[in-house]
Amino acid sequence: MSAMTLTQKLRRTAEHVRERVPLQPQIAIILGSGLSPVADALAQDGELAYADLPHFPVTGVAGHRGRLLLGSMAGTPVAVFEGRVHSYEGRAMEEVAYSTYLAKQLGARTLIVTNAAGSINAAFAAGDIMLIRDHINLLGTNPLVGALDDDLGGRFVAMRNAYDAGLRDLARRVARQNGFTVKEGVYAATSGPMYETDAEIRMLAILGADVVGMSTVPEVIAARRCAMRVLGISVIANQTTASGASDEVALTHAEVLRVVTSSADRVKRLILGVSGSIAA
Ligand code: HPA
């Protein structure tokens, strides 16, 4: 008996989801740490616990609920993945990318991916929202490494302009209409789960990173592999400017969750506005 391929697993998961909630999402939204309140904007058709989905990887990180919600946001059908698995949980990249591939399998053409991040750029303060313009992958791996025994896309994936400029323009406009501004910049992904040393923060600044986090990049690579449009949103949980870092109180996950949750309402309005205006 041979093991199931990724495509076979995804078909099985998608079939399970469709049997329970027959809605074809146009947009998939992955909610990062502390961003569960964004799901309040959903007119819900149904919800499924990750643990009940065949083959779906379950997360155990605080602040990540672990359920798939289907419904509509501002009239657009969406799938909301409330919580994600990270590579620091010791999970294979295929598992980290599973929600993105499932979104594609369900019919979604756009991925909105969110995260909590620490700012490297001194102009970014805790609580700020940043649209991701580009990323630097420092994870040491990615979801394209390995067998790729599926039909989701090719092996060699172009990553220039991975973050859709049109979606960023739209998000900036939505923010303005809602009376707040958003920053824009480069997200560097490290494996974590430890936070950075002062020397690492200085290195990240030299490399051109504006923020640093522990997620998002695998999902974006997977999304580009299957030709989904991507909007990436970081919430600045803490400032890690190299010069000031040594004076800071030690950063904790609880503090990250507190700050991000206090920005969740703006993220919610941003995603609601983008969802309502997105072209099919
Ligand atoms: N570093 C890495 N990941 C993070 C941080 C940070 O400072 N804050 C929130 N996620």
Side-chain angles (χ1 to χ4, degrees):
M1 228 184 53
S2 60
M4 284 175 88
T5 66
L6 177 59
T7 306
Q8 287 167 335
K9 289 182 197 169
L10 287 163
R11 288 204 180 118
R12 176 74 201 94
T13 315
E15 185 186 12
H16 181 99
V17 171
R18 280 195 212 99
E19 277 167 6
R20 280 149 191 86
V21 191
L23 169 125
Q24 186 186 313
Q26 188 176 320
I27 304 174
I29 301 161
I30 298 176
L31 296 181
S33 296
L35 288 171
S36 287
V38 173
D40 297 345
L42 186 74
Q44 204 175 303
D45 281 24
E47 86 176 58
L48 299 157
Y50 290 168
D52 296 334
L53 297 179
H55 307 298
F56 198 93
V58 174
T59 177
V61 182
H64 288 265
R65 294 274 290 266
R67 52 184 191 162
L68 168 59
L69 311 170
L70 292 132
S72 56
M73 277 203 194
T76 301
V78 303
V80 178
F81 292 90
E82 198 179 344
R84 59 153 62 90
V85 295
H86 306 76
S87 53
Y88 64 71
E89 295 176 73
R91 311 303 287 262
M93 278 287 124
E94 182 178 301
E95 296 180 282
V96 179
Y98 202 86
S99 54
T100 302
Y101 288 144
L102 179 62
K104 176 71 179 184
Q105 195 74 35
L106 291 171
R109 298 156 61 102
T110 299
L111 178 70
I112 301 179
V113 58
T114 67
N115 60 61
S119 74
I120 301 295
N121 185 329
F124 296 1
D128 280 356
I129 293 170
M130 186 194 88
L131 306 178
I132 305 176
R133 184 175 60 241
D134 206 347
H135 76 220
I136 300 172
N137 181 11
L138 299 172
L139 292 170
T141 186
N142 69 73
L144 308 179
V145 173
L148 298 192
D149 55 348
D150 59 66
D151 56 11
L152 291 157
R155 163 76 71 186
F156 301 101
V157 175
M159 288 301 294
R160 294 188 70 196
N161 304 309
Y163 298 83
D164 191 274
L167 289 177
R168 287 205 305 281
D169 286 346
L170 174 58
R172 230 179 281 109
R173 205 156 60 236
V174 169
R176 210 180 309 118
Q177 284 160 359
N178 279 274
F180 61 90
T181 56
V182 287
K183 306 279 203 267
E184 187 169 308
V186 173
Y187 176 95
T190 69
S191 72
M194 63 284 162
Y195 297 110
E196 291 66 36
T197 65
D198 288 3
E200 287 165 343
I201 292 166
R202 283 191 295 272
M203 172 192 77
L204 289 164
I206 291 166
L207 293 181
D210 293 295
V211 302
V212 56
M214 306 173 190
S215 67
T216 300
V217 161
E219 291 104 320
V220 172
I221 293 169
R224 292 309 298 154
R225 178 167 180 237
C226 48
M228 297 174 82
R229 291 208 298 169
V230 175
L231 175 66
I233 302 171
S234 290
V235 178
I236 313 306
N238 53 283
Q239 217 166 5
T240 65
T241 52
S243 56
S246 53
D247 307 327
E248 269 181 19
V249 286
L251 179 60
T252 64
H253 186 57
E255 174 65 5
V256 167
L257 289 180
R258 189 188 65 74
V259 175
V260 173
T261 301
S262 67
S263 294
D265 186 61
R266 275 175 294 142
V267 178
K268 179 167 78 183
R269 282 184 283 152
L270 199 56
I271 291 179
L272 197 55
V274 168
S275 300
S277 323
I278 219 156

